[in-house]
Amino acid sequence: MKKTRLDAIDIRILSAVQKHGQLSKTKLAEIVNLSPTPCWARLNKLKAAGYIRGYHADIALGYISNLTQVIVTVALAHHHKSDFDRFEAHIRKLDEITECIATGGGMDYVLKVFSPGLTDFQNLMESLLAAELGIDRYMIHIVTREIKSGPPNLARLLTGPEK
């Protein structure tokens, strides 16, 4: 994927799409303050360059089911590339694990897990241990409520804080 240099208009387009999802050509141009045709051309260029991976709905899971959310930190016993590759390939196959990030310092991974209940979560953890993925230790943190969740403010991140 070849990355192109972003200017202020590109950042406004990405911010609008991040906040609102798919928009009509007219609405996007209105938000970005650019005429529709060049705005749409820029959007397509950003898509082709890989800056936009997809459009998603933000589903209120609590309205659908009373799910248990758990944050799990994992440390592997060994730190060879093959150990990381084996663990990551296995994690990618599990729908219950919605996020996995590699970290430095103490723990190797942080996982976000959703399950119907604690029994199901425990079964998942037992299956991870049985899969011989090289897990040395793990810690679980039951989520009691979500305070803030969402993508970062692109414009603010890329331009810095206002002074």
Side-chain angles (χ1 to χ4, degrees), residues 62-159:
Y63 285 7
I64 298 169
S65 178
N66 190 17
L67 297 173
T68 298
Q69 182 179 354
V70 183
I71 304 300
V72 182
T73 56
V74 176
L76 299 183
H78 303 287
H79 294 99
H80 304 288
K81 184 177 181 329
S82 60
D83 298 312
F84 294 123
D85 290 345
R86 183 175 60 251
F87 180 82
E88 292 169 16
H90 190 83
I91 294 301
R92 284 186 186 99
K93 297 176 198 171
L94 301 173
D95 291 335
E96 300 93 337
I97 299 173
T98 60
E99 293 181 34
C100 175
I101 58 172
T103 61
M107 291 295 195
D108 298 311
Y109 295 96
V110 178
L111 313 175
K112 184 186 280 188
V113 182
F114 286 91
S115 66
L118 286 176
T119 301
D120 297 290
F121 170 75
Q122 186 59 40
N123 291 338
L124 172 69
M125 292 309 300
E126 289 172 7
S127 74
L128 287 175
L129 295 171
E132 297 185 18
L133 300 172
I135 296 173
D136 180 42
R137 66 189 185 284
Y138 67 92
M139 292 181 62
I140 66 168
H141 308 274
I142 307 293
V143 175
T144 57
R145 61 190 172 110
E146 192 171 86
I147 309 304
K148 182 177 180 181
S149 176
N153 180 330
L154 278 179
R156 184 89 184 240
L157 279 177
L158 297 174
T159 60

